[in-house]
Amino acid sequence: MNKNIDKNVFQASWTYDEAPESTDHIQIKKQYELFIDGKFIPPVKKNYFDTIDPSTNKKIASVAEASLEDVNKAVKAARKAFKGWSSLTGKERGKYIFRIARLIQERAREFAVIESLDGGKPIRESRDIDIPLAANHFFYYAGWADKLTYAFPNRSPKPLGVVGQIIPWNFPLLMAAWKIAPALATGNTIVLKPAETTSLTALKLAEIIQESGLPKGVVNIITGAGETGSQIVNHPDINKIAFTGSTGVGKYIQKAIAGTQKKLTLELGGKGANIIFEDAAIDQAVEGIVNAIFFNQGHVCCAGSRLFVQESVADLVIQKLKNRMESLHVGNPLDKNTDIGAINSKKQLQTIENYIRIGVNEGGEIYQPKCKLPKEGNWCAPTLFINVSQSHRIVQEEIFGPVLAIQTFRTIDEVIEKANNTPFGLSAGVWTEKGSKIFHLTQKLNAGVIWANTFNKFDAASPFGGYKESGFGREGGLHGLKPYVKFE
Ligand code: NDP
């Protein structure tokens, strides 16, 4: 490089050429029906809603809205299929699940593009994280299907029956995989409802399930809004509800099934503490902070949305973080350069913007990089707040967007106290070169998942779930089989 070039000028002139993922290989229908009893059928009331591309707010397709009559049909189909499916050998069930996993892999590109189009997440993430992990979940639980007696030695695990599964919009296909794969491996049949704003990949999965030859009625996928979810929850012929979503709806579901025989697992909100000690590898930690809060636009229940930095390195970490935020690329989800895509819906954007206003009004000091946001669509610049304290709402409440609240600490006891001062208990991260500190903190922090010198790492073999208002029950790993079996 010419030494005479001013470094700042060079940095300012640095731009990326667009690198859009091609979309000509994907097929999206104009209208999607309900997947019940192995067939795609129109909803009884013939109501449809629009699914929107959040990066343009343009309509992608019409999606069927299931009413109570459709929920009844789906539950009936699942009940009818239960006897046959649960009496198949584990080995036979495993074959179908392996087939679904392989079909997802074969169509991974198509799934990745549709996930980014419908949900707004960067193609880099849907391509490299969501879709491979979804296939991984099916592979992993296919392997367990004929080994349940090893998973539960000296006990005799039996399936629960028909399970109702309700999933959110932040990881649409991955959450469907988290729910469907262990339920199938253990011999249950399923009625699943994806979130209203992101139904398309669940419906693509239904196409794959149909193609796999899975016996009809074993998996039913019905689309609709909260009302449809509520009808699943309250259906008398459902044996278990598995829900991932907001703590508010989780509480409603818990009340709704109280006093019934239904089993329940809830994977709810979070406000993860990401803790940086002075002896941490600072540059890696800064990358870790970015990944913890800006991954998937911050629409992550286990996001590291509360950052705690040891006082002696706070100025350095915050400066490096601000520099790094300047280089984050916000924009077209289908561009392979994009780091932060579109906010999933107008409603969620309003929620995030409202929290940013609250943060400023409560006296927090805001920082946003000078990034150019596209004109159309739902966008939010990566945001951080300093000068906040434990009582600030942006420190206590789940924002579910790219907004980070930063506090400092001096001692280990202080940071444990602060990190645990939350109604949630889903995730945490600890950055230090000292192993003993990691072990000490992992014992003291009330969180279901604690990462050491990394953040937001997922694996099908590893259990995931929360404490307190983050819910109960585990998904993933051997632990993820347990909520789907009973012992007689
Ligand atoms: P919800 O909890 O409302 O949505 C999750 C799922 O539950 C969706 O499929 C939704 O359907 C369905 N649902 C909604 N109401 C009911 C009901 N009464 N009975 C049964 N199912 C229902 O989350 P939102 O989409 O409204 O997001 C609101 C906030 O929740 C976010 O700002 C975020 O803080 C948090 N959230 C947390 C998630 C997590 O993983 N921890 C995931 C998603 C949101 P539909 O979408 O069609 O309305």
Side-chain angles (χ1 to χ4, degrees), residues 339-447:
D339 298 303
I340 300 181
I343 298 301
N344 184 267
S345 63
K346 268 190 190 157
K347 184 175 148 229
Q348 188 60 23
L349 181 60
Q350 280 163 4
T351 303
I352 298 168
E353 287 175 342
N354 192 36
Y355 272 113
I356 292 177
R357 264 193 301 276
I358 290 170
V360 172
N361 290 342
E362 284 187 339
E365 186 183 321
I366 188 173
Y367 172 79
Q368 291 176 321
K370 297 180 264 332
C371 56
K372 221 166 104 196
L373 302 179
K375 285 205 180 74
E376 305 292 325
N378 313 321
W379 308 96
C380 180
T383 304
L384 65 78
F385 277 96
I386 53 175
N387 290 340
V388 292
S389 66
Q390 294 289 82
S391 60
H392 280 78
R393 280 185 66 191
I394 57 164
V395 172
Q396 285 295 324
E397 295 172 22
E398 185 178 49
I399 300 174
F400 228 59
V403 183
L404 178 66
I406 305 181
Q407 296 174 81
T408 59
F409 67 94
R410 288 186 183 171
T411 66
I412 293 188
D413 287 346
E414 180 192 350
V415 77
I416 292 170
E417 189 89 13
K418 282 180 165 169
N420 285 338
N421 178 15
T422 166
F424 299 108
L426 193 55
S427 71
V430 181
W431 296 79
T432 167
E433 294 286 86
K434 214 163 168 19
S436 57
K437 232 186 254 176
I438 292 171
F439 285 123
H440 180 63
L441 265 95
T442 46
Q443 297 207 338
K444 297 281 179 189
L445 294 173
N446 296 325

Side-chain angles (χ1 to χ4, degrees), residues 28 42 46 48 85 90 133 144 152 196 218 230 294 411 419 473:
I28 298 184
K46 305 276 183 293
Y48 293 83
W85 179 246
L133 275 178
W144 272 120
F152 305 104
E196 199 181 344
V218 172
S230 169
F294 302 130
T411 66

Side-chain angles (χ1 to χ4, degrees), residues 300-332:
V300 183
C301 48
C302 53
S305 48
R306 289 181 302 150
L307 179 67
F308 295 97
V309 192
Q310 201 154 18
E311 209 171 78
S312 50
V313 290
D315 288 348
L316 177 70
V317 169
I318 292 166
Q319 193 50 54
K320 279 181 181 266
L321 179 59
K322 286 179 176 173
N323 291 349
R324 180 68 180 90
M325 283 165 73
E326 288 291 339
S327 66
L328 290 174
H329 196 81
V330 185
N332 181 3

